[in-house]
Amino acid sequence: MDEIFHVPQAQQYCHGDYYTWDPKLTTPPGLYLASNGMAWIGGMFGYDFCTVNTLRFTNILFSIGLYFTLISLVITLHPAIKHDWRTHMYALTLTWFPVGFFYNFLYYTDPGSTWLVLQSYLLAKKKRYRLAGIISMASLTFRQTNVIWLCLFMMVTIIDILSHVSNSKKNEDTSIALYNPACASIHQPAQAMQSIYSLVANTLVNIRIVLPAIWTFLLGMASFALFLVWNGGIVLGDRSNHVAGLHFPQLFYYSSFLSFFAAPWTLSLASVLKLLSIKSFVYGIASTLLTLFFVHRYTHEHPFLLSDNRHYTFYVWHKIYRRHWTVRYLLSPVYTVSEFLNIQAFANHTSFLLVVGYLVALVLTLVPSPLLEFRYFIIPFLFYMVHIPPPTQTPRTILGLGLYFSIHLVTVYLFVYKPFVWTNQPDQLQRFMW
């Protein structure tokens, strides 16, 4: 896996060589710079922090930071809820989210990228807007596509500022006030259009108030644009296997993935019964037909997905999707139900504009990627979950914690104790992982 490229590159940095670059690496050097800082501190005390194990320890630190960030996010986003040990257990469970947690023990960019993105969101919600923009810029040094989350958090910042302005002028003309109701209260397309229009119009009217708060976000966007011009594209190094395209079924895979890992908190009899109405049935038929079109027209099988049997996605594809050509179409109603349940749970706890921003971020993050890889779902999943309030029913979180811990134990067991050999590389062990 990519660790065999990440580790030597980080060790080059530790030795002071910042000019040699492995062309197989596709992400910026933020992780190596973070490890280099740790190595410099270790060197002051006579320790070598550039061994494989100490480099991996960088991600353990990011994981600890993520835990405290998740606690603060849950408390900030749900101030009306009594915060006690249940909140901490909920945050711990999200930290142990199996896909993300597994990479804490390897030298990968995901833990650092995840922590910085969510820390930026936390700072934006705490109204420390300029610092949020700076942290978002730092996240770009771990993964280029984090620019999408930077843009979302800039929108969150603008909405917060405009909401404050609207509240301070509540006795004036309400026709120009920001209209951002709870998403669950949107029942007509006209309401949706009014909300989006009010955001654009209010941003332009209050641009002098907005700009000082978002200038670091704009600086991050400008820096990213310069990077694109300098690099000639978004991918560093090996571009042949990372060609962007239109892969709309990624959204359906993610929705199914989300439904499974969020089920301990979002699935209930009441949520299922809400789908049993004439209106839901009509929308479901339309959504399923649209899904069938996207599945037929835009399903892609990346060479890595078909050839690399070290990952869950290989077996999901071969055991389910390749079992028969009709399977990918027969799953369309399942995708539809999954989407309805996921949006329903999210809409009950978030504003309309945030839901729109999140859906746009999902499309921009997942659709261009030709490869189905669960790592790409980590940040979207955690962003979704922090908006779901910690349940008052402790068994739900215990169930989620038990589910996550069990999956993680199985994955680690297979990784450590069940290596195997490829015939074309008989002298090298392969290991099963996410």
Side-chain angles (χ1 to χ4, degrees):
M1 286 301 295
D2 294 345
E3 195 187 52
I4 63 173
F5 308 118
H6 289 307
V7 169
Q9 186 65 56
Q11 291 173 338
Q12 292 275 13
Y13 276 43
C14 288
H15 298 147
D17 182 2
Y18 298 99
Y19 300 99
T20 301
W21 183 262
D22 189 330
K24 290 189 177 297
L25 292 168
T26 60
T27 51
L31 176 62
Y32 321 132
L33 292 172
S35 296
N36 199 206
M38 287 180 55
W40 180 78
I41 295 173
M44 293 176 61
F45 298 94
Y47 294 102
D48 180 10
F49 280 2
C50 263
T51 64
V52 174
N53 284 336
T54 52
L55 287 174
R56 289 170 178 162
F57 185 72
T58 308
N59 285 341
I60 298 295
L61 295 179
F62 287 138
S63 177
I64 295 170
L66 177 64
Y67 169 63
F68 289 105
T69 296
L70 288 171
I71 290 176
S72 296
L73 263 175
V74 171
I75 292 174
T76 302
L77 293 171
H78 308 288
I81 293 178
K82 179 183 177 181
H83 299 291
D84 51 19
W85 62 272
R86 295 180 184 86
T87 302
H88 291 255
M89 181 179 286
Y90 185 61
L92 178 64
T93 304
L94 296 183
T95 307
W96 280 6
F97 169 52
V99 183
F101 196 66
F102 182 85
Y103 290 100
N104 293 329
F105 304 107
L106 300 174
Y107 196 61
Y108 270 59
T109 59
D110 298 272
S113 171
T114 302
W115 175 65
L116 287 171
V117 167
L118 292 178
Q119 181 65 27
S120 176
Y121 184 47
L122 173 63
L123 290 168
K125 295 304 295 181
K126 286 184 172 291
K127 304 186 185 306
R128 300 178 68 179
Y129 304 128
R130 286 183 282 272
L131 182 56
I134 292 172
I135 297 300
S136 283
M137 278 195 286
S139 75
L140 299 184
T141 68
F142 281 71
R143 184 156 294 164
Q144 304 93 307
T145 52
N146 286 342
V147 70
I148 297 164
W149 300 102
L150 179 150
C151 293
L152 176 60
F153 301 155
M154 183 175 72
M155 188 189 86
V156 168
T157 297
I158 293 171
I159 290 171
D160 281 354
I161 293 172
L162 296 180
S163 297
H164 178 73
V165 171
S166 296
N167 290 334
S168 65
K169 297 180 179 180
K170 59 184 177 181
N171 294 326
E172 299 179 18
D173 185 5
T174 58
S175 64
I176 60 172
L178 179 68
Y179 178 61
N180 186 27
C183 187
S185 68
I186 296 288
H187 302 293
Q188 301 293 333
Q191 291 177 279
M193 295 306 298
Q194 179 187 351
S195 184
I196 295 172
Y197 171 78
S198 73
L199 174 62
V200 175
N202 275 271
T203 301
L204 295 176
V205 169
N206 297 285
I207 193 67
R208 291 185 178 181
I209 301 174
V210 170
L211 274 178
I214 65 170
W215 71 268
T216 52
F217 290 103
L218 295 174
L219 180 61
M221 294 170 64
S223 301
F224 180 74
L226 289 175
F227 164 77
L228 289 180
V229 174
W230 169 78
N231 189 53
I234 192 171
V235 178
L236 283 167
D238 180 19
R239 300 182 186 180
S240 60
N241 292 306
H242 298 83
V243 179
L246 293 176
H247 192 188
F248 287 103
Q250 286 272 44
L251 299 172
F252 312 142
Y253 309 146
Y254 170 69
S255 182
S256 306
F257 174 94
L258 175 60
S259 292
F260 175 79
F261 283 102
W265 299 277
T266 61
L267 187 61
S268 66
L269 180 61
S271 64
V272 174
L273 290 177
K274 286 183 180 179
L275 301 181
L276 302 179
S277 66
I278 299 298
K279 184 177 181 180
S280 296
F281 180 76
V282 173
Y283 284 161
I285 293 296
S287 178
T288 301
L289 291 175
L290 189 62
T291 299
L292 285 168
F293 168 75
F294 282 129
V295 167
H296 177 72
R297 181 67 178 82
Y298 295 103
T299 296
H300 299 296
E301 294 183 326
H302 195 282
F304 289 174
L305 180 63
L306 300 176
S307 62
D308 196 338
N309 65 341
R310 294 173 295 183
H311 306 282
Y312 278 112
T313 49
F314 173 89
Y315 299 95
V316 168
W317 199 260
H318 281 266
K319 298 297 184 182
I320 299 176
Y321 289 93
R322 279 206 152 202
R323 183 171 292 275
H324 193 271
W325 68 268
T326 60
V327 170
R328 65 183 63 178
Y329 300 104
L330 293 174
L331 286 173
S332 293
V334 177
Y335 298 147
T336 297
V337 173
S338 170
E339 292 159 8
F340 276 36
L341 290 173
N342 292 335
I343 292 175
Q344 180 187 112
F346 196 55
N348 287 334
H349 305 289
T350 50
S351 68
F352 171 73
L353 289 175
L354 183 62
V355 171
V356 171
Y358 177 65
L359 293 178
V360 171
L362 278 183
V363 171
L364 295 178
T365 301
L366 300 179
V367 170
S369 174
L371 176 63
L372 169 59
E373 188 166 350
F374 290 145
R375 285 193 299 143
Y376 301 157
F377 299 164
I378 296 173
I379 294 176
F381 173 81
L382 291 176
F383 184 86
Y384 178 98
M385 290 303 298
V386 295
H387 290 89
I388 305 299
T392 55
Q393 300 171 319
T394 306
R396 281 186 172 267
T397 299
I398 293 177
L399 174 63
L401 188 62
L403 174 66
Y404 287 8
F405 191 63
S406 300
I407 294 173
H408 187 62
L409 281 181
V410 170
T411 306
V412 170
Y413 173 79
L414 292 173
F415 180 86
V416 175
Y417 295 107
K418 296 295 181 179
F420 52 94
V421 176
W422 286 344
T423 54
N424 62 330
Q425 295 180 6
D427 58 339
Q428 183 175 344
L429 289 178
Q430 309 299 332
R431 297 186 183 274
F432 185 86
M433 59 190 297
W434 277 101

